[in-house]
Amino acid sequence: MREKTRLKAIRFPESLVRDLGKYVRQGKQSEFIIRATEEALLRLKQAEALKEAHGLFKPDEYPEFRDRESTEKWVRNLRQEADKRVSGWSEREK
């Protein structure tokens, strides 16, 4: 089911309107603007969430998040563990 829509009058710089017409075909421009707006809003929401989470993981409680190197090592270990589990699945299927 399609989401209900509303008309919103927005002013764009003329150069932006020209480029939109040049690179996005007629009939797809609204969809393009909607997707670009969704992506930009997602980035804003993620930035806000990061600000809210700042300081949540205390180094003494979560040493794996103490610094970038510790976090990268933690992620590498997680990926290696996952790879081992996945490889075990394929070996059992043989």
Side-chain angles (χ1 to χ4, degrees):
M1 185 168 104
R2 291 184 70 172
E3 187 174 340
K4 189 175 176 181
T5 63
R6 287 181 47 193
L7 180 62
K8 176 95 172 142
I10 300 174
R11 293 187 179 273
F12 288 91
E14 288 182 11
S15 61
L16 189 59
V17 173
R18 278 193 304 274
D19 281 349
L20 182 65
K22 182 178 177 181
Y23 295 102
V24 181
R25 70 181 165 97
Q26 197 71 28
K28 293 293 184 177
Q29 293 177 4
S30 289
E31 181 181 339
F32 180 87
I33 293 168
I34 290 167
R35 302 250 175 191
T37 303
E38 288 172 339
E39 290 174 13
L41 286 171
L42 178 61
R43 286 191 299 275
L44 289 173
K45 291 174 184 179
Q46 288 172 336
E48 184 177 313
L50 285 172
K51 286 179 188 174
E52 290 176 8
H54 179 74
L56 185 64
F57 296 104
K58 308 276 188 263
D60 54 328
E61 295 174 22
Y62 300 94
E64 60 270 25
F65 300 124
R66 179 178 49 252
D67 54 30
R68 183 183 185 118
E69 184 178 309
S70 300
T71 304
E72 288 174 352
K73 181 180 176 185
W74 178 74
V75 170
R76 272 194 308 276
N77 289 339
L78 279 179
R79 289 178 179 161
Q80 288 172 352
E81 290 172 15
D83 289 345
K84 286 178 187 175
R85 281 195 304 276
V86 170
S87 67
W89 296 340
S90 60
E91 288 174 8
R92 279 185 253 144
E93 292 174 359
K94 292 179 182 179

